[in-house]
Amino acid sequence: MADSAHGVFDVVVCGQGPAGRALAHRCLAHGRTVAVVDPAPERRWRATYAVWADELPGWLDRGVIAATVPEPVAWGRSEHRLARAYAVLDTGRLQAALAPDGATVFADRAVRCEPHSVTLAAGTELRAERVVDARGLRRDPARAEQTAHGVLVPAARVHGTETLFMDWRRDNGADPAAPPSFLYAVPLDAGTVLLEETCLAGRPALDDGELRRRLHHRLTARDITLTGAEEIERVRFPVQGGRPGRERFGAAGGLLHPATGYSVAAALAAADTVATGGTYWTPRARAVAVLRAAGLRALLALPPERVPDFFDAFFTLPPHRQRAYLSGPDDLPGVLAAMAGLFPRLPRRTRLTVARATLDLRVLSQRPGGSAMME
């Protein structure tokens, strides 16, 4: 074990978002000496995090779960009940549960991360047997992004709205030829519901103003009244750009799922393996990541009017095939079977677009406005 008293640690983790905090927490649980680096290591997390309930690792206190929905609903053009429990996490309790108690904390910015050293903005150099960059992904015009605009509404005002994993119905006032967005609706606790208009992926993604306009139009159409005093949640992050490797973790390390934008569950599940010196990125996991990236290309290439058809087809797959594609790092046969099962379920006119994009062939826009979610 390294001697942290002389400034040399077993592990230095740069970044104290959910991924970095989870990794530091598990390294400490396994007896490592740990330093964490973040300009504001105790800043309050404000995003909403949700996971499939079966993704949570056994070591995590189930008290972090704020609400569990046995069968969330997805809509393309028709309704699909998903036979898989969905858990919304209490952000504050999650942050507390992952506290890196026992770590040496440096409230500073890492300006240079090397495999065995970190240079801080103040000029301090930290040395370690291993340095892990968990600072997330920088925005880049070349990267597709996910954006969302949400409001927190008292549950009594939503008139029995079900938990909606994705709702692509066109009652948000958007032009049919415009890039689409969906409604995400989940309970945050017994008295509050998050209603969020989401652009799944775009290059460029829909901006906050457009998403706000669509959300208000959609809620008005569903007879849900806003007062203007609701707390607002805004989301914007890249869904491309992560690079698998020993020196990176979380979204920066390729753990972000390109089809959903989810990364927290993967980081929680991988934290123990990485903390004990193992590798998340087995050959099968790398192959799965390549296939999921191909799935993102297919989504980005779809004309707007065909996006609901794509998700109608996906959510008619057997639950174990959906799970293989949406979760887990290395079920290569399951992901291949999900993609093979999806293709014949797609409308005939959509198959060529999906096939060409999946194979990374050039997909030409079929209208002046371009593809469904990118241009």
Side-chain angles (χ1 to χ4, degrees):
M1 181 179 291
D3 182 3
S4 62
H6 292 86
V8 180
F9 299 87
D10 291 333
V11 183
V12 175
V13 180
C14 299
Q16 282 293 277
R21 200 167 171 102
L23 179 58
H25 179 273
R26 298 317 294 162
C27 286
L28 289 160
H30 289 285
R32 307 294 192 263
T33 58
V34 177
V36 298
V37 178
D38 192 285
E42 294 303 323
R43 70 190 182 282
R44 179 187 170 196
W45 299 344
R46 297 190 176 276
T48 298
Y49 302 115
V51 301
W52 300 106
D54 55 26
E55 293 178 313
L56 291 174
W59 56 261
L60 185 65
D61 180 2
R62 274 8 187 210
V64 303
I65 298 175
T68 301
V69 182
E71 291 188 329
V73 171
W75 277 87
R77 300 187 193 279
S78 57
E79 181 184 36
H80 308 271
R81 291 197 170 272
L82 310 183
R84 191 179 181 195
Y86 191 67
V88 182
L89 306 183
D90 182 293
T91 303
R93 293 203 296 265
L94 176 66
Q95 187 169 9
L98 300 178
D101 295 333
T104 302
V105 179
F106 293 87
D108 202 347
R109 181 171 57 89
V111 296
R112 185 173 182 178
C113 293
E114 300 290 344
H116 302 290
S117 67
V118 178
T119 303
L120 307 184
T124 305
E125 183 180 75
L126 308 179
R127 299 193 62 78
E129 291 182 1
R130 183 178 185 183
V131 172
V132 181
D133 187 350
R135 293 176 294 176
L137 291 169
R138 292 189 179 92
R139 293 185 58 198
D140 185 321
R143 294 174 178 168
E145 291 185 317
Q146 182 171 126
T147 52
H149 181 97
V151 291
L152 278 61
V153 179
R157 278 204 266 129
V158 301
H159 307 301
T161 296
E162 294 186 280
T163 296
L164 296 168
F165 179 64
M166 288 181 173
D167 185 349
W168 292 96
R169 285 176 289 180
R170 289 281 189 168
D171 59 347
N172 60 4
D175 187 304
S181 57
F182 66 87
L183 179 65
Y184 176 70
V186 295
L188 300 185
D189 52 43
T192 308
V193 175
L194 171 66
L195 302 171
E196 197 160 74
E197 192 75 16
T198 304
C199 170
L200 182 61
R203 189 169 51 216
L206 293 169
D207 64 32
D208 185 73
E210 173 63 12
L211 290 168
R212 178 183 180 277
R213 186 194 68 75
R214 292 186 183 191
L215 177 64
H216 285 220
H217 190 284
R218 192 191 295 272
L219 297 185
T220 298
R222 299 189 185 191
D223 197 27
I224 298 173
T225 303
L226 301 180
T227 66
E230 292 82 10
E231 184 177 345
I232 293 172
E233 177 172 292
R234 295 182 176 89
V235 174
R236 187 175 205 112
F237 59 85
V239 294
Q240 295 175 311
R243 293 183 297 130
R246 177 178 168 81
E247 297 81 22
R248 295 170 295 277
F249 190 68
L255 295 188
L256 187 147
H257 197 301
T260 62
Y262 287 14
S263 64
V264 170
L268 292 171
D272 251 357
T273 297
V274 175
T276 53
T279 179
Y280 177 92
W281 291 107
T282 64
R284 279 194 172 192
R286 290 177 180 272
V288 165
V290 169
L291 290 172
R292 288 172 174 162
L296 176 62
R297 289 196 302 272
L299 280 172
L300 291 170
L302 287 172
E305 69 276 8
R306 299 187 194 174
V307 171
D309 298 326
F310 182 93
F311 285 99
D312 274 335
F314 180 82
F315 289 118
T316 61
L317 289 172
H320 67 286
R321 296 292 184 226
Q322 295 179 35
R323 187 188 187 285
Y325 191 82
L326 294 175
S327 300
D330 58 3
D331 184 2
L332 180 58
V335 172
L336 285 168
M339 295 177 78
L342 173 66
F343 191 75
R345 287 174 162 82
L346 295 171
R348 190 178 301 275
R349 62 178 184 169
T350 302
R351 293 177 193 170
L352 179 60
T353 301
V354 168
R356 295 182 69 178
T358 300
L359 295 172
D360 207 13
L361 302 175
R362 187 173 179 226
V363 179
L364 298 177
S365 300
Q366 300 186 22
R367 60 178 68 243
S371 63
M373 291 179 276
M374 69 169 271
E375 192 55 53

